[in-house]
Amino acid sequence: MPVKMVLEKGKVPVKIYTEEVDSHALDQLTNISQLPFIHSHVAAMPDVHIGIGATVGAVIPTKGAIIPAAVGVDIGCFVGETKVPLLDGTQATLKELVERGGEYWVYAIDKHKKMTAAKATARLTRKNAQLMKIVLDNDEEILCTPDHQFMLREGGWCEAKDLLPQMSLMPFKSPLTISQSGESLTNPTLSRRGVREYFDVPAGNHKVKFVEHLEQWEDVYCLTVPEYENFALSAGVFVHNCGMNATRLSLKASDLPDNLKRVRLAIEDAVPVGFARHKSIYAKNSTIKSLDKVFDKKIIVKHPVITKMLKKPYQTWTQQLGTLGGGNHFIELCLDENQEVWIMLHSGSRGIGNVIGRYFINLAKKDMEKHTAQLPHRDLAYFKEGAKHFDDYVEAVHWAQEYALCNRREMMRLIIEALRKPLPPFNITKEAINCHHNYVAIEEHFGEQVYLTRKGAIRAGDEELGIIPGSMGDKSYIVRGKGNPESFCSCSHGAGRKMSRTEAKRRFNADDMETQTQGVECRKDKKIVDEIPGAYKSIDEVMENQNDLVEVVHTLKQVVCVKG
């Protein structure tokens, strides 16, 4: 469906993809549109509802400023000079691909470990990210962020910071012969027309020679490869692209037990929920060291008050890695239209991320004390690019986003381990990790490079995959973006609340919860009544209102749901 409503009360229009918007959310959207640095317009997704500071479901393009109340930060990948082989026999750097724009045919590995063609788009993912160096046995050097994943020879994945000397990586060798001028000398049907041919991966492997953590920061880039979620580097290996929070297993509905309570309890036993944490550190030592290096040596040195806002900060953030949290965070077992089993999860940066967010929101308000009267609302205080705390804020919220990434990966590992006890043997047949829905990215829209904030919205670029969950008694969707420019290539991140938690607790009770979650193995007590399906908008209506933004790839029905 096209835009349903347009607000014209601010400096720019607000384009809204639903008519179901409460008056408080409309006021918030109007306030955002009155800020002097908004580019083109503000977009509001079909799940839009009132939020803390800024409206949930808002997509906000800004020039030269960022609003802390509306932001997380995207995850980065490789330096701009990293070369990628293209199917026409040439190669280009990631930075060159971003500057050129458009789609490119690259090499990828399919589920059968065959090399094939894949469409990709390039983008700048983060500014001033810390780097590390990977040197291969062919003496090729790769500069990337510590969290980027490399494909192992057997088909698994390993983050750069966890690579060790002599580890075997999936090797890449172009089926094309490249001339010194960069032109293709031989050109199989795989290339220019994008005709799908499949090639065996070269024999042998590339081994890691050594790994070095660097005191070096640069802007970083990545490719999005929707169909295969990986791509080849000219250095001779395959790496992961940017993805989501869903994992498909080799199980069918018929493989699940009739009573799923044991499955739910196994997950709840493995993953602490609410304010709880693990009794000891469960995450890898390399993950803790990498996170602590930035948090302790960079963020806390300049902003020590952050540690005073959280009881036992080091113990809390290290032992909350691999925990769910509360509110609308969830772990679900779902069935798709082919009766295949998926794991879906939604969580974030836990207590430490919350503290970092609150600290910098208050700092922005303090920095703007003399100018507060000029703001439409105090919660919209902002940091201007080049101002005293702008770079500190970007660094801190990126750390929180990286923490969230590590938290979800650790949870997924714990969930898979836990499910191996009550379920038959299984493999992972499709993995997609980290579909961010509260972040800012540097993107180009309507002819300008902007900071694009998605608060409670996800990126839905052309052919890019995403996840849109419904309420705990409804459906969820794996979707493919249509790259709609009016929505800034965005879509909703869920169904969206239609009433507050307080109102949900007033209206509903445990009996209502039992009725509305029939067929789903979950807690049904009064403590989670605020998450009852009746408190959310209809996911069917939300999806209908954004059929201009995405197309459905898979429809998932929850059979197990764990809530905080």
Side-chain angles (χ1 to χ4, degrees):
M1 297 285 286
V3 171
K4 292 290 193 75
M5 296 173 58
V6 179
L7 302 181
E8 299 275 8
K9 297 179 181 179
K11 297 181 184 297
V12 297
V14 179
K15 300 182 180 183
I16 307 174
Y17 285 83
T18 179
E19 293 175 342
E20 188 181 357
V21 195
D22 66 69
S23 60
H24 296 297
L26 290 173
D27 289 343
Q28 280 190 330
L29 290 167
T30 298
N31 286 340
I32 293 168
S33 72
Q34 291 173 350
L35 293 169
F37 45 78
I38 305 295
H39 171 65
S40 181
H41 63 276
V42 175
M45 300 300 101
D47 61 341
V48 63
H49 58 280
I50 189 170
I52 298 173
T55 324
V56 178
V59 183
I60 311 164
T62 58
K63 295 275 291 177
I66 297 178
I67 310 162
V71 172
V73 160
D74 206 359
I75 296 297
C77 300
F78 298 94
V79 296
E81 299 309 308
T82 304
K83 292 181 179 179
V84 176
L86 305 179
L87 265 72
D88 62 4
T90 65
Q91 58 183 351
T93 68
L94 288 171
K95 187 176 182 180
E96 287 171 344
L97 295 179
V98 169
E99 290 171 347
R100 294 179 198 170
E103 289 186 330
Y104 298 89
W105 284 92
V106 299
Y107 294 97
I109 296 289
D110 74 355
K111 64 182 180 181
H112 303 296
K113 298 182 184 178
K114 295 280 190 178
M115 188 167 62
T116 189
K119 280 185 178 180
T121 55
R123 62 191 177 103
L124 173 67
T125 53
R126 193 171 85 247
K127 288 198 166 189
N128 200 33
Q130 187 172 13
L131 302 176
M132 64 183 302
K133 178 164 66 175
I134 311 298
V135 180
L136 306 178
D137 57 3
N138 59 0
D139 291 325
E140 290 281 352
E141 295 184 359
I142 301 169
L143 296 182
C144 64
T145 52
D147 53 15
H148 205 82
Q149 292 182 306
F150 285 70
M151 186 182 287
L152 301 176
R153 187 62 179 87
E154 74 274 12
W157 296 96
C158 184
E159 290 185 13
K161 66 177 181 290
D162 296 324
L163 291 173
L164 297 172
Q166 297 305 304
M167 272 190 172
S168 296
L169 303 180
M170 184 69 77
F172 165 75
K173 184 178 180 181
S174 173
L176 305 179
T177 303
I178 311 299
S179 73
Q180 297 258 337
S181 65
E183 296 178 354
S184 174
L185 297 179
T186 61
N187 190 13
T189 56
L190 176 69
S191 65
R192 298 182 194 278
R193 296 184 302 279
V195 176
R196 293 303 173 89
E197 296 286 344
Y198 296 90
F199 293 81
D200 290 327
V201 172
N205 56 60
H206 274 315
K207 290 189 175 181
V208 177
K209 195 170 182 179
F210 69 87
V211 177
E212 180 182 358
H213 289 268
L214 304 175
E215 291 298 321
Q216 181 179 340
W217 286 260
E218 286 189 28
D219 296 351
V220 287
Y221 302 75
C222 196
L223 295 184
T224 297
V225 189
E227 189 170 1
Y228 297 104
E229 298 163 357
N230 69 82
F231 62 97
L233 299 180
S234 294
V237 293
F238 287 87
V239 294
H240 210 292
N241 78 160
C242 305
M244 294 158 289
N245 282 346
T247 296
R248 188 175 66 198
L249 307 181
S250 58
L251 299 174
K252 293 277 191 176
S254 58
D255 296 317
L256 299 179
D258 292 335
N259 188 335
L260 291 167
K261 185 173 182 179
R262 186 168 168 237
V263 174
R264 173 172 67 85
L265 293 179
I267 296 171
E268 291 178 347
D269 186 55
V271 180
V273 302
F275 294 105
R277 63 189 184 210
H278 292 289
K279 293 179 180 178
S280 60
I281 297 174
Y282 270 51
K284 292 180 180 178
N285 186 51
S286 58
T287 299
I288 300 296
K289 286 176 67 176
S290 177
L291 288 168
D292 193 40
K293 185 176 182 180
V294 176
F295 185 66
D296 190 49
K297 301 296 191 297
K298 293 181 175 293
I299 297 170
I300 298 308
V301 166
K302 290 181 278 189
H303 301 278
V305 174
I306 291 173
T307 60
K308 298 177 182 178
M309 297 172 66
L310 194 66
K311 187 178 180 180
K312 297 182 179 179
Y314 180 81
Q315 188 178 29
T316 298
W317 75 255
T318 54
Q319 291 177 207
Q320 280 192 337
L321 277 169
T323 66
L324 181 61
N328 65 345
H329 292 173
F330 64 78
I331 300 167
E332 291 180 341
L333 222 58
C334 306
L335 301 177
D336 67 14
E337 64 282 349
N338 299 315
Q339 297 298 291
E340 292 182 299
V341 178
W342 292 69
I343 304 169
M344 286 184 64
L345 64 87
H346 170 214
S347 187
S349 51
R350 303 297 283 107
I352 191 63
N354 179 278
V355 164
I356 287 172
R358 287 190 289 115
Y359 171 79
F360 278 99
I361 288 170
N362 290 330
L363 187 59
K365 291 176 181 177
K366 185 177 179 180
D367 284 358
M368 292 196 70
E369 278 179 351
K370 295 179 181 179
H371 308 287
T372 301
Q374 300 172 20
L375 289 173
H377 194 284
R378 286 188 74 245
D379 284 341
L380 296 178
Y382 54 87
F383 293 118
K384 292 191 71 173
E385 197 170 27
K388 181 180 179 183
H389 293 123
F390 182 89
D391 290 338
D392 291 355
Y393 172 66
V394 170
E395 181 175 54
V397 288
H398 168 68
W399 183 89
Q401 192 68 36
E402 184 173 351
Y403 180 92
L405 166 75
C406 295
N407 183 44
R408 289 188 286 268
R409 284 181 179 161
E410 184 63 23
M411 261 195 295
M412 188 64 79
R413 182 183 69 80
L414 293 172
I415 294 163
I416 289 170
E417 285 180 5
L419 291 177
R420 293 196 185 281
K421 297 175 184 177
L423 298 181
F426 62 83
N427 297 311
I428 295 169
T429 59
K430 186 175 181 63
E431 184 173 8
I433 301 173
N434 293 302
C435 181
H436 308 303
H437 61 267
N438 288 310
Y439 71 99
V440 64
I442 300 169
E443 298 184 12
E444 185 172 318
H445 293 279
F446 297 99
E448 296 280 350
Q449 194 172 81
V450 298
Y451 291 107
L452 190 73
T453 297
R454 294 182 174 95
K455 179 165 183 174
I458 66 172
R459 182 173 165 83
D462 190 35
E463 296 293 314
E464 293 180 15
L465 296 176
I467 298 171
I468 303 176
S471 66
M472 61 191 292
D474 215 327
K475 300 183 288 291
S476 297
Y477 297 91
I478 306 294
V479 298
R480 181 177 289 114
K482 295 185 176 181
N484 187 297
E486 277 198 306
S487 73
F488 301 105
C489 299
S490 306
C491 67
S492 80
H493 83 308
R497 297 191 72 89
K498 65 180 181 183
M499 69 183 69
S500 68
R501 296 183 182 280
T502 301
E503 180 64 14
K505 290 177 179 178
R506 188 186 70 80
R507 289 196 195 185
F508 301 109
N509 56 34
D511 291 337
D512 297 318
M513 187 64 136
E514 180 80 37
T515 301
Q516 293 187 29
T517 58
Q518 191 171 4
V520 180
E521 172 55 48
C522 63
R523 286 174 52 197
K524 301 176 190 283
D525 55 84
K526 65 180 182 180
K527 290 183 179 179
I528 59 168
V529 164
D530 57 338
E531 281 294 304
I532 193 168
Y536 283 83
K537 297 179 182 181
S538 163
I539 190 64
D540 291 327
E541 289 181 18
V542 168
M543 295 304 295
E544 177 65 23
N545 284 336
Q546 59 185 344
N547 58 22
D548 280 0
L549 312 184
V550 295
E551 62 176 324
V552 174
V553 178
H554 293 293
T555 301
L556 308 181
K557 179 68 181 78
Q558 299 92 325
V559 292
V560 175
C561 180
V562 173
K563 283 277 188 179

